[in-house]
Amino acid sequence: MQIYINGTFYPKEEAKVSVFDHGYLYGDGIYETLRAYDGYVFHLDEHIERLEHSAKLMEMALPLDDDGISQAIHDTLSRNGLKDAYIRVSVSRGTGEIGLDPELCPVPTFVIIAKPFVDYPTELYEKGIKIAIVEIRRNHPETLNPAIKSTNFLNNIFAKMEAKRAGAFEGIMLNHGHFVAEGTISNIFMVKNGELATPPLIAGILEGVTRGLVIELAEKLEIKVYEEMFTEAALKDADEVFITNTTMEIMPVREVDDKSIGAPGRLTKILAEAYRHEVQRYLKARKRAD
Ligand code: PDD
């Protein structure tokens, strides 16, 4: 496995960053998780755009422009001979003296890890997962804004630990106003009476690329979608629930805490199918453009 660090490839064992890296010292960094299907990185532009948005929100100048990032990702895939891949792009503030001041770090540390994509067990899609509403709240947007895809992930790690203790696959955090926000690595949707609802960005969540696509697909299918706040009680009363992210795509939920939900529900199946079609359509369009 060859890892990209600031323009150079290193074997996994030699791929190291400094203990003075502010990503390590302070969690001062951002990242993206992407997925390649058959050699094509799905919604690459959207992920690059979000990386740039995260960088902007933390006042960090990225060392590469759009084309440079895209090239580095593709180089990492080909170096590793990968077609179906999990890709992790991490950019930390860089190496510098101990101290909080970002100016101590002249050069960001830009890392790309790509490894073969391992599918989630099909059983999870067939039967659905259990999710747990956790005690810890999602960061308030005026503290560490969840819109930044930050490597400062302790909020989500605490939620993950709670979820694990509850025997759940994913932990769902409420926001400061006690409304449902998002999972530790996913966005959440629910279906009630044939209509779809998902928390709005102002609930304090990451603007998931998959979330955006699911909203778009639902609209095309003439399924009503509401971006609106809802409570834990409403979630438990839903007809269907699913979570989304780049690697899982659409994952049906069969249990919210101890409340059973029929999974996978009708709309969940329709949307999951539409998502798979969209991936195929995207691949075809890219192949034609090559
Ligand atoms: N996580 N919310 C949070 C907090 C996330 O970390 C993620 C993604 C999402 C979904 O975003 P997208 O649809 O763009 O993948 C929502 C990635 C998969 C991760 O942490 O590896």
Side-chain angles (χ1 to χ4, degrees), residues 31 33 50 149 156 182 184-187 208-210 245-246:
Y31 79 101
T33 298
R50 190 172 61 192
K149 194 155 174 53
N156 309 44
E182 64 179 336
T184 64
I185 54 160
S186 62
N187 292 115
V209 173
T210 321
N245 81 14
T246 297

Side-chain angles (χ1 to χ4, degrees), residues 190-211:
M190 69 167 185
V191 176
K192 187 75 188 168
N193 300 327
E195 295 177 341
L196 204 54
T198 194
L201 300 180
I202 53 154
I205 59 169
L206 182 74
E207 185 170 6
V209 173
T210 321
R211 171 187 180 277

